[in-house]
Amino acid sequence: MAEPVDPRDEKFIPTRTVPESTTTTNEATGEQRSVVQAGTVNGGVEQHHHDHQHLHAPAGPAEPDLVSGRPTPEELAAAGEFFIERPGIVEAERRLRRHGVVLVDGDGTGWFIAAVRLLQEVGATDVAQLNPPRYLNRERAKGLKRGYGYVWPARQSFDEFQFNDVRAAVKEAGGWLVVLVHHPREVPHALMDQVVRLGAPAPMAVARACVRAERGPEMDKQLRVLDETFGPVLRPGTLPREAVRAAELAIRQAAGELGENEAIDEFNEKLSGAVGRWFDTGRWLTEYVAMVAVAVLEDLASDRVFAEAERLEQAIREAELPADKKPKPRRVFRFSRDELLATIGAKVELRDHALYPGLSEETVRFTRHDWAHALLCHAWVQYPALQPLLADWLADTAFAKGVTALCTVVRAVPASDPLSYVRDFAGRPSVGKRMFAAMTLSELATEHGCRELVDETLGRWIEQRSGVWRKTTAAMVYGFPYGTRDPVNAITQLKRIGCTESRHQQNWVVWAVREQFRRPNNQVTVLQAMCRWVYEADRTEGLRTIALSVGWALAGIDPDPDFWFPPATEQDRPTVRRLLVALFWHVLRDEIFGARALQLMLEAALSAHYDPKARERLLGLMDMVLDGGSRRLAMRRLTEHHPRHRRRIRRLFRLCRLLEGRPWWTVVAGWVRALRRAEDRTASE
């Protein structure tokens, strides 16, 4: 069955380089079949944005909100009154006071509580957590509030230039930032000496603090039970989350819910055994679905979690019925929220709203911190019929959470073909599904140690003669951290993908190259490659179209609001400028791209008097056109390549002179002299 072309698959190529056609794509292979219509389109293609349901969202994964949440009252208390000192905290506080930013290593040691403590100690008026998928740069940090302290669990790699940039932004905002480094080996070598390693606090002290934080009427009894029952098992080196669990069991034992042996057995019980025991108990479908939803979307807002759970339950109920049957409506009052959460071992946490001061929100998490991944993997293994439904649901849920969940399954669940669902998504016409597959492959390679598997998979897709959709997915992967951390290899592979007449492949190669350029250390490599691609192939082979489309975007001829390109590093700035000017002139000399660029520049010149953004953009473009040379020479070069647009070029230069403040009568005099010379030439002929 043929499926119409998704406009998002042609978003990043600004002009049509072939006659417009009615194109359909084979659903299974991604091969295109075209019927050329009369006439050729030399104008631009309408640029569409997308997400899963809406064509006017960003074409890549949407940039998340700056702030993802705030600490709960319990976390603030743990960082304040009940804080337990730990190795490295004094040094981290010293560096935070001195620089305003500190890099902290120590996953599993209660480092979020330690980060909140650091920010409280330096005098932050409030504490918020930045979204983990955010990139670290000054432009993205413009929303920082004065006097606030921020915790950023870094999931994206960063270099020294970006670190210094955001440090300046935080200092300018009068705030502080604690960066939790998940992968210290990925910190730039020049910044390694700035990473502070936090040690784990004493486990017994953590457990006693948790009991005191409950402020129960039987606190003395609870502390005595804790010392007697768990004193021998909470040895040095026990993780803080295990100490918290011991405190919870001691409270239950003191209340008579558990005996001493039962408490010890539950503490020592393997996670797989506890999960299996939960599933062995008879449950309603709603309970199973709620468990899966919380396992995937833990720490998100409760209304979002329950809405996604309802969607998954509806999909399961529909799959269990014949195609011509519809599931019966659910009973509204079958489960209360708190009852349902208690059944699956979860709870809600009240916290200040991440975006709206004065309001609050509730997030959902399991009471046992290591519960989520184990439940998800058990459900995936023990219920094979659930797998395709759950995989589709993950791809349609929050991108970052769904990607992490599928990576967990691929890494932890034994399978003969661990990437079967990733490969299925990569071959679908849906841009959203392909983007999800690309993000999963990138995260598997960069955060889960599966680089060889990902390399082999991508190489096989690129080598195939057919399969356009999987090749576009491979191109997307090279626009994520998997590719941006090794730009030379990424550019080499993107060149292999881009040597094609498939507009879809060209489109996503352009996107990936633009993403490569967003990392300052990659900019020289990207521009050098694009300048070579212009010469290495003609337009029908794809590389020239890709290079010119990249040059179009980087020069800012028709700015895309979804993309922001950071400035080059100080040492690379002259080289980047020279290469960008060269690539821009390649765009201007092209018959199709150049004509469209001149048209847009003239439109900007006509609106520049009342549109400051158009004026700024136009003057920046003209600065690259002149590049320190004379106007007459630049105008002559453009006219040689676009003789049919001679009048448009002259008008553009004259309007730019007016914008630069030249007296209007001198410009008009130039117009008159040019008109007379034209009349003289006509008379002599």
Side-chain angles (χ1 to χ4, degrees), residues 12 58-64 133-140 156-159 161-162 165 478-480 484 487 510-524 526-527 550 553-554 560-569:
F12 302 108
E63 184 79 9
R134 296 282 294 203
Y135 282 91
L136 181 65
N137 57 54
R138 190 171 187 177
E139 179 69 15
R140 302 299 183 191
Q156 304 289 348
S157 63
F158 54 90
D159 52 34
F161 173 80
Q162 292 173 305
D165 198 30
Y478 291 107
F480 289 117
T484 58
V510 172
W511 177 84
V513 172
R514 287 166 60 163
E515 288 290 337
Q516 288 281 337
F517 191 83
R518 292 176 71 172
R519 191 164 184 174
N521 287 345
N522 296 350
Q523 292 183 359
V524 172
V526 168
L527 289 172
V550 171
L554 300 187
D560 185 344
D562 296 340
F563 279 82
W564 177 85
F565 301 112
T569 59

Side-chain angles (χ1 to χ4, degrees), residues 18 498-502 506 537-545:
V18 295
C499 288
T500 177
E501 295 182 1
S502 169
Q506 296 172 12
D538 62 30
R539 187 179 296 111
T540 59
E541 293 177 344
L543 292 183
R544 179 177 174 82
T545 298

Side-chain angles (χ1 to χ4, degrees), residues 88-356:
I89 194 72
V90 176
E91 175 64 16
E93 182 181 340
R94 185 185 67 81
R95 296 193 183 191
L96 183 60
R97 289 185 183 277
R98 182 176 180 181
H99 302 294
V101 180
V102 64
L103 298 166
V104 172
D105 174 28
D107 192 7
T109 62
W111 61 352
F112 179 75
I113 298 298
V116 175
R117 172 72 172 191
L118 288 172
L119 295 170
Q120 290 177 340
E121 288 295 301
V122 298
T125 58
D126 202 351
V127 177
Q129 177 174 313
L130 299 182
N131 239 313
R134 296 282 294 203
Y135 282 91
L136 181 65
N137 57 54
R138 190 171 187 177
E139 179 69 15
R140 302 299 183 191
K142 284 185 176 179
L144 299 177
K145 295 184 179 180
R146 179 163 298 278
Y148 270 48
Y150 294 94
V151 183
W152 186 55
R155 299 280 178 80
Q156 304 289 348
S157 63
F158 54 90
D159 52 34
E160 184 180 5
F161 173 80
Q162 292 173 305
F163 177 76
N164 293 331
D165 198 30
V166 79
R167 181 164 60 184
V170 171
K171 185 177 181 180
E172 182 180 336
W176 297 269
L177 176 65
V178 178
V179 181
L180 306 181
V181 181
H182 280 259
H183 302 285
R185 65 184 181 277
E186 296 177 359
V187 175
H189 181 73
L191 299 176
M192 284 300 297
D193 60 342
Q194 300 189 34
V195 178
V196 179
R197 171 69 184 181
L198 292 182
M204 198 62 191
V206 172
R208 293 179 65 86
C210 291
V211 172
R212 291 196 303 271
E214 292 294 324
R215 305 183 190 277
E218 298 183 340
M219 183 188 303
D220 294 338
K221 180 180 179 181
Q222 294 167 351
L223 291 173
R224 185 173 64 255
V225 169
L226 176 66
D227 293 336
E228 295 173 354
T229 304
F230 294 98
V233 298
L234 291 180
R235 304 180 182 89
T238 303
L239 294 177
R241 62 172 175 263
E242 294 297 325
V244 172
R245 187 158 166 264
E248 294 172 349
L249 291 172
I251 293 173
R252 292 174 59 192
Q253 181 184 344
E257 299 178 16
L258 297 172
E260 181 177 350
N261 292 335
E262 291 175 320
I264 290 294
D265 290 343
E266 189 168 337
F267 181 80
N268 292 326
E269 183 182 24
K270 290 186 177 180
L271 187 60
S272 58
V275 170
R277 185 158 45 83
W278 188 91
F279 274 93
D280 288 342
T281 307
R283 307 286 181 182
W284 291 90
L285 173 61
T286 302
E287 294 173 311
Y288 286 117
V289 169
M291 178 275 298
V292 172
V294 175
V296 174
L297 305 175
E298 193 174 25
D299 293 324
L300 292 187
S302 61
D303 52 353
R304 169 100 182 262
V305 173
F306 283 106
E308 295 294 344
E310 184 175 352
R311 192 165 59 82
L312 176 59
E313 181 177 353
Q314 183 71 13
I316 294 174
R317 295 172 68 199
E318 291 177 355
E320 292 177 340
L321 293 174
D324 59 341
K325 300 290 185 181
K326 292 185 178 180
K328 295 180 180 179
R330 289 195 331 170
R331 294 182 180 179
V332 175
F333 294 104
R334 170 168 289 177
F335 293 100
S336 68
R337 185 198 66 177
D338 292 345
E339 176 188 358
L340 183 59
L341 291 177
T343 302
I344 66 175
K347 66 177 183 179
V348 294
E349 292 183 329
L350 182 67
R351 60 182 75 211
D352 292 336
H353 201 283
L355 301 177
Y356 307 113

Side-chain angles (χ1 to χ4, degrees), residues 26 44 261 324 368 552 558 666:
N26 185 286
N261 292 335
D324 59 341
R368 183 167 175 174
W552 179 286
D558 187 15
T666 60

